[in-house]
Amino acid sequence: MDYKYIEQLLERYWACETTLEEEEILRAFFCQTEVPAHLQRYRSLFVYEHEEKRMEVLGEDFDQKILSMVDEKPAARTISLQQRLRPLFRAAAVVAIILTLGNAMQVTFDDEPNPVPEVNKTQVGPSVAAVKNDSSKVEEIVKPTIPQQETVGLQQ
């Protein structure tokens, strides 16, 4: 058989140029039991609507079942204050754990050894030896004197 007309309708269908009657022709063609192999891949697209009409999803007593379920009143539950606040207790516990862990991590990172003081730094105040010996005298660290070099400046 020659299926050129169906192929032309399919080309027009993909270009969105078919009328409703031509689409009905395509649906009727693909609802047949014998469809050529090269057109078989399009069958499910056009037969879908026809097969859905035949399939009965809901029974006759569906409305009655739904209405009877609506008429039933569910039993009221009593929720205690502790049950209402339980999510807040859990959230507070999580926040406390996170803060504790964050504080512990910060302390471990902050406990690095103090850097060794540089020799050229000058300190003002009592010496460490005087404070540790609890002596009544406060020794002062002598500031090192740096010889100043004469600078030759440009005179204007």
Side-chain angles (χ1 to χ4, degrees):
M1 270 191 152
D2 190 21
Y3 297 105
K4 289 201 182 243
Y5 179 66
I6 298 298
E7 291 172 358
Q8 289 174 354
L9 281 179
L10 279 173
E11 288 177 17
R12 290 184 56 210
Y13 180 78
W14 298 126
C16 299
E17 298 173 350
T18 55
T19 62
L20 293 176
E21 292 82 21
E22 291 170 336
E23 289 179 16
E24 275 300 318
I25 292 171
L26 285 172
R27 284 190 198 95
F29 172 76
F30 284 108
C31 284
Q32 298 174 359
T33 56
E34 294 182 18
V35 177
H38 70 283
L39 296 176
Q40 190 68 29
R41 61 183 174 184
Y42 304 119
R43 186 168 194 268
S44 61
L45 177 67
F46 293 102
V47 176
Y48 176 75
E49 186 178 324
H50 180 68
E51 288 178 355
E52 284 296 315
K53 287 181 182 176
R54 284 189 294 151
M55 187 188 328
E56 188 173 327
V57 179
L58 303 175
E60 296 294 325
D61 60 342
F62 177 76
D63 291 337
Q64 293 174 356
K65 286 181 183 178
I66 295 296
L67 289 175
S68 67
M69 289 171 59
V70 169
D71 289 338
E72 293 176 9
K73 293 185 179 180
R77 278 189 342 186
T78 306
I79 299 175
S80 67
L81 182 63
Q82 183 181 8
Q83 288 175 336
R84 285 187 182 188
L85 295 178
R86 188 171 291 149
L88 295 176
F89 294 148
R90 289 180 181 167
V94 168
V95 168
I97 289 171
I98 289 173
L99 290 176
T100 302
L101 290 176
N103 192 18
M105 293 300 292
Q106 184 177 9
V107 167
T108 58
F109 288 129
D110 287 346
D111 285 345
E112 295 178 2
N114 293 334
V116 178
E118 293 181 18
V119 177
N120 294 336
K121 280 190 174 179
T122 59
Q123 295 180 347
V124 177
S127 68
V128 177
V131 173
K132 285 189 177 181
N133 291 334
D134 291 331
S135 65
S136 59
K137 284 187 175 181
V138 177
E139 298 177 14
E140 290 187 18
I141 297 177
V142 178
K143 297 181 183 178
T145 58
I146 301 172
Q148 295 184 357
Q149 297 177 353
E150 293 182 20
T151 58
V152 177
L154 297 175
Q155 296 179 355
Q156 292 181 351

